[in-house]
Structures are given as structure tokens and as C-alpha cells.
Amino acid sequence: EGEDGLLRAMRDGNAVLRASVTEDELAATAADGAQLELMREIGVGSAIVAPLKSAGRVLGVMTLVMGASGRRFDEHDLAVAEGLGERAGIAIENAELLEQRESDVRLRDDILAVVSHDLRTPLNAIGMSAPLLMQRETDPRARKQIEIIQRSAARMARLISDLLEMARMRAGRVAVQPE
């Protein structure tokens, strides 16, 4: 019933205690002859299979074995193993969430860099064309509109630079030096 305990812990999300492990259970649990020999050498006499859980979801299991000391796991040990399994499950889920967040941040920063670059190209054309229009235009109303275009283009350029600077700072590629 060794493997059955493992499967049951995964399926039901409940820890399984084997206060005393028989030779038949060792043989049923071992993946191969070498593992069976190792378990015999250790003197596995007692075992707990505890699920690694987070938010009611079983992420895996851990198996604790008691070796040649002769000590046997009991209900108190089972409760400790269940608590450890829950904490380990939460830690695993937190690590996965952190990894996903970091991946999302990298993706966002990559998109930001591409979009910023793509925005700068037409913005540069606007920024270069506006002064040329200003040189040729004599109508005061038109000149006022060209000035608005120039100020807006300059503001957009600053916003794009600020976005890129922030992305570089988050990525740790910019050293801030207070003055």
C-alpha cells in the first residue's frame, strides 16, 4: 500500500501515516531494486506521505521516513508533516507567482521599449517638420498652431524618455546619483 498512500495523498489531499512499514510495503513502494536495497539499508520502519497544498490544490507530495532508530511516526508527527506540507505548498505557489510576475514585468518592459521606439520615429518627423513649417508660415494663427505642435511633440518626447528611463531603473540598468 506504499504507492497507494502516495496516490491517495495526491488525490485526496490528506496525509497518510504508516507507523510501521512492512517489507511488502517497501517492495511495493520502491521504484526498482536499487531503491529497495537503499530503503532496507536505511532501515525504513515508519513513513508519512504528506501533500504539498496551497489554496486547496495539491501541488505534490513529500515523503518522510524514519530510519533505523526504531522510532515510529505518530499522530503528532502527522500533524506536523501536514502543516509543513501546507507551508511548503504555499512557498511553491508563491515562487511560481513571483516567477510569473517577473516574466510579466520583462514582457511589459520589452513591449514598452518597442512601442517607445516605434513612437519616436513619427515623433521625430513631426519635430523636424514643425520648425520648417514655422520658417515658411507668416499667418499668426497658423504659427500659433505650429507652436502647439512643437510643444506637444516635445512633451511626447519627454514622456517617452521618462517611460524608458523608468523601465531602465526597474531593470537595474540605471544608477541614480543624487546631487
Side-chain angles (χ1 to χ4, degrees), residues 34-122:
Q35 190 179 39
L36 177 60
E37 189 57 39
L38 178 61
M39 288 191 292
R40 285 178 180 150
E41 193 176 308
I42 292 172
V44 174
S46 185
I48 294 176
V49 178
L52 305 176
K53 296 192 294 190
S54 180
R57 186 171 66 110
V58 177
L59 305 175
V61 296
M62 67 177 172
T63 303
L64 307 171
V65 297
M66 189 64 69
S69 68
R71 183 174 174 277
R72 301 288 183 231
F73 287 121
D74 58 23
E75 292 297 324
H76 173 74
D77 297 316
L78 181 66
V80 170
E82 286 174 325
L84 179 60
E86 287 179 15
R87 285 174 179 77
I90 291 169
I92 290 168
E93 186 170 53
N94 285 343
E96 290 172 348
L97 290 171
L98 179 61
E99 186 177 307
Q100 182 61 49
R101 181 185 173 277
E102 289 172 348
S103 175
D104 291 347
V105 167
R106 280 191 303 274
L107 178 63
R108 182 203 62 208
D109 289 346
D110 290 346
I111 290 171
L112 181 63
V114 169
V115 168
S116 296
H117 180 268
D118 289 350
L119 287 174
R120 277 191 168 167
T121 302

Side-chain angles (χ1 to χ4, degrees), residues 121-136:
T121 302
L123 186 59
N124 287 337
I126 293 168
M128 289 188 301
S129 299
L132 294 175
L133 289 173
M134 186 65 87
Q135 287 176 358
R136 294 183 183 163

Side-chain angles (χ1 to χ4, degrees), residues 143-154:
R143 291 179 67 83
K144 185 168 180 98
Q145 294 302 313
I146 294 170
E147 287 173 3
I148 291 171
I149 291 170
Q150 286 178 309
R151 282 194 307 272
S152 295

